[in-house]
Amino acid sequence: MTAEHQKISASTIAAIATGLTPSGVGMIRISGPEAVQISDKVFQPINGVPLLKRRGYTSAYGYICSNGEKIDEGIAAVYRAPFSYTGEDIVEISCHGGVYLMQKTLQAVLNHGAKPAGAGEFTKRAFLNGKISLDQAESVMDLIQANSASAARAALAGKDGALQKEIASIQRELVGIASHLAAWIDFPEEDVEELASSSLEQQLENSIIRLKNLNQGYDTGRLIREGIPTAIVGKPNVGKSTLMNLLSRYERSIVTDVPGTTRDIIEESVQVGGYVLRLADTAGLRETTDQVESIGIAWSRKKMDSSELVLAVFDMSQPLGEEDIELLNNLKGRTAIAILNKNDVASIQNISDYEKRISDKIPFVVAMSAQNGDGLEKLEQMIPNVLGLGRIDPSAAMLANERQRDCVNRSLRPLQDGLDAVQAGITLDAVSVCLEDAISPLMELTGERTSDVVIEQVFERFCVGK
Ligand code: GDP
């Protein structure tokens, strides 16, 4: 953060924090030096004690007034600087969650001198006032947007500072080496111990490994945050649509007995075992001369190519056919689960034949009935294992977006150059420059030193009221 970022804002801002849909409770958040004074003009505590006389972390019951007229009853919670979300004085007035009431309350607050808050302005103030780092601020938005248990856990870990702590620790290590080198270079006559190149090498390698680990976890983290692009494939009539309906728990795609009727690709997100699958139903992998269906088949192959996970469905009530074998061959090298469907009507002979021939090609196999849901639990457990998500600790440090990844990459390059320089026996001045170049992007990642443009970009994607 630069010096000009650090000033506490002079204005008081307000916004509806709970969204503009009718609900039980609505909340208007006011933050800034005048937050309490302004609230006192809008809120009449029932006990007659003005909010100005209240300490932080206390609340009062009372009436919300506009132009001297009571418009609702509610609660005002007072937070005193610096012990609040933004680091400023905050009052949160909770009223009934009608859209008219919320807007009327906000208007009353604005009439008394507060300014409408911009997108993410409360969180931006929290960052500018040093309450949270830039990556923690980004996690706040990720938390709001989280659509599964695993995504919410990962965002909460970010908000709690998991990434910030890891980056700060790597940065400390690099600063330690840099200052040692600087002392040694600048004061050779003093008694500064020369860093043995083997120890320097090891320290640089250690930081490189830690940054690379973060980088490697990025794609996995994205699957957790954004959902797993998943293709359901299989020849017509094996039960793909039925499976999709089972996973989405309501009727979406057309289920029919006529082979080849699911022509349109229907995409939707479903929750499976704490993860989100971004599912695409397909027209099947059958070779066909039918024009319309050919489009669907080409699409389904493309979909398989662009998916992270393939659910390949086979109908166990029928013997394994040529098309099934072709599909199995197509699955080679992909992350796939073979779903042996219709186990409720399959013969013992078919079951053992399928299991033998399929588990040869794909190690992950589930026998199930998409129609009655038998085996679904096993499928749910298998999905994170197939993708290696089961090994990921959602509370560990994780890069959450391209901005953060770019900072890590920009730090890795000079670090690698520095390591090469040490190994080549080049002067330590050169290594010193590399270290400085590596530290700077890390400071940018956490927002310790970053430009206004980057800050604007981060908060642009926030909603008003947060
Ligand atoms: P798709 O062409 O692969 O999408 O297949 P559908 O989902 O349309 O299913 C074809 C037929 O198989 C329908 O009559 C379904 O009711 C039936 N079906 C799907 N799954 C099962 C299952 O697990 N057990 C049984 N007995 N029938 C199923």
Side-chain angles (χ1 to χ4, degrees), residues 235 314-315 318-328 353-354 357:
K235 68 183 182 190
F314 301 87
D315 176 355
Q318 308 287 326
L320 201 61
E322 235 173 73
E323 290 162 281
D324 297 313
I325 307 276
E326 197 190 326
L327 169 60
L328 273 175
D353 181 46
Y354 265 82
R357 293 172 68 182

Side-chain angles (χ1 to χ4, degrees), residues 13 30 142 165-166 178 207 216 261 293 351 379 396 398 402 425 442:
I13 51 168
I30 308 144
D142 290 341
K165 284 185 196 123
E166 175 66 358
S207 297
Q216 275 159 9
T261 40
E293 204 167 312
I351 294 176
L379 175 64
M398 234 185 256
E402 284 296 334
L442 298 183

Side-chain angles (χ1 to χ4, degrees), residues 146-152 154 216-230 269-278 306-310 335 383-390 392 398-401:
N147 54 4
S148 69
S150 54
Q216 275 159 9
Y218 179 71
D219 289 332
T220 319
R222 203 161 59 185
L223 295 183
I224 291 176
R225 275 190 312 281
E226 295 171 15
I228 303 154
T230 305
S269 292
V270 299
Q271 293 265 354
V272 180
Y275 297 90
V276 167
L277 299 190
R278 285 174 28 218
S306 61
S307 293
E308 293 289 336
L309 174 68
V310 179
T335 307
I383 287 170
N385 290 338
V386 176
L387 291 156
L389 297 174
I392 298 283
M398 234 185 256
L399 297 176
N401 53 47

